[in-house]
Amino acid sequence: MTNERRVLVHPDMDSLIAAVAARFLTKLTDLLDEYQEVNIALTGGTAGGTGVQQAVAESPMRGAIDWTRVHFWWGDERFLPKGDPDRNETQAHEALLDRIPVPAENIHPFPASDEIPDIEQAASAYADELRAHADPALRLTVPRFDITFLGVGPDGHIASLFPEHDVRADDERLVIADRNAPKPPPERLSLTLPVINSSQRIWMVLSGAEKASALGLALAGASPIEVPAAGAQGRRRTVFFVDGEAAEQVPQNLIASSY
């Protein structure tokens, strides 16, 4: 099994979003030829989240996908009431999920604060949902995440794993409940780093000059405790999809010419 890290640079955010959306639909077609069901973990944010999701929804290629065989999960979520506009789930429904024929039972959101008011119990409930869809063929206690999308913050955080803030490569938990996240809202749910790294492919999407330092540090081998993005490693492949501004501190020898 290969385990590659690549950086693909696009001129600007618009071309970045369009390229990632097209690549996602092409790869999803291939995955559905290989597997009966495919699991995708979505992220929030502007580029890799709603930007890519909306581009997928608007692509004519979406009609070739059998969405009844695709399951959607999330890497993290803001612990807010159902339907809150700041929830990643809400944004994904508006950008993509309500615009494709995916069955409701194939959508696996984190519990909302008005569904399970205690955040620790909410974390436990999502962990149970992950176990219920575990892939025994890979000896995993979670689903086989075929593609996990991640955004990267200017501080290098991924999902809701923040620097110096409960990021452990040996974490035995599946889901963490964070009551004091450094970015609002303070209460968040997140997959742990080992669960993220159980993914077959991790696609990190970065746009803007404010992400350049975090990307440079991640590629330079910084500690995942200090730069969580540095610890993200898919089982088969890890790709950083970036625009020109975010790539300012990437050494030329790390930039791939193609996927």
Side-chain angles (χ1 to χ4, degrees):
M1 182 177 292
T2 60
N3 191 326
E4 306 174 21
R5 289 168 70 105
R6 295 188 180 184
V7 181
L8 294 177
V9 181
H10 302 273
D12 52 43
M13 185 168 73
D14 289 343
S15 61
L16 167 67
I17 288 172
V20 175
R23 196 177 302 276
F24 170 68
L25 286 165
T26 300
K27 188 62 184 177
L28 189 55
T29 301
D30 293 340
L31 288 167
L32 287 169
D33 284 341
E34 185 176 358
Y35 301 109
Q36 179 58 34
E37 292 186 335
V38 172
N39 293 281
I40 306 298
L42 300 175
T43 186
T46 303
T50 55
V52 169
Q53 292 160 18
Q54 186 169 350
V56 168
E58 294 172 353
S59 171
M61 294 173 62
R62 75 172 189 176
I65 301 297
D66 182 359
W67 295 105
T68 66
R69 294 163 54 202
V70 182
H71 286 251
F72 289 98
W73 305 78
W74 278 264
D76 76 313
E77 186 57 276
R78 298 164 173 87
F79 195 53
L80 297 168
K82 192 78 169 177
D84 190 289
D86 285 337
R87 277 179 63 89
N88 294 334
E89 176 202 1
T90 305
Q91 296 170 12
H93 271 281
E94 293 175 354
L96 174 63
L97 300 180
D98 289 347
R99 304 166 68 181
I100 56 175
V102 57
E105 61 267 24
N106 288 17
I107 301 173
H108 307 272
F110 281 92
S113 61
D114 56 347
E115 294 174 324
I116 303 179
D118 182 86
I119 193 170
E120 295 289 349
Q121 293 180 8
S124 178
Y126 204 63
D128 289 343
E129 179 79 356
L130 292 168
R131 293 187 188 96
H133 291 81
D135 189 335
L138 292 178
R139 298 181 181 178
L140 297 176
T141 56
V142 296
R144 183 199 66 246
F145 290 121
D146 297 289
I147 300 175
T148 291
F149 284 95
L150 293 173
V152 179
D155 60 354
H157 83 265
I158 53 172
S160 282
L161 303 177
F162 293 92
E164 309 289 350
H165 213 262
D166 209 15
V167 181
R168 304 196 330 243
D170 60 348
D171 203 327
E172 295 184 355
R173 297 169 295 177
L174 303 183
V175 181
I176 61 169
D178 193 341
R179 298 179 182 272
N180 191 32
K183 181 180 179 181
E187 290 195 321
R188 292 165 174 256
L189 296 162
S190 181
L191 302 183
T192 59
L193 188 57
V195 172
I196 289 172
N197 286 348
S198 74
S199 306
Q200 299 298 294
R201 300 160 191 84
I202 292 177
W203 289 10
M204 285 180 271
V205 185
L206 297 81
S207 174
E210 71 277 8
K211 307 293 182 68
S213 177
L215 177 59
L217 290 169
L219 294 170
S223 164
I225 296 175
E226 298 174 351
V227 183
Q233 186 80 44
R235 291 164 64 92
R236 292 192 176 185
R237 182 169 290 178
T238 307
V239 185
F240 295 84
F241 296 94
V242 305
D243 66 7
E245 290 186 338
E248 288 177 355
Q249 298 184 31
V250 177
Q252 192 65 35
N253 66 307
L254 294 182
I255 296 176
S257 59
S258 67
Y259 182 75

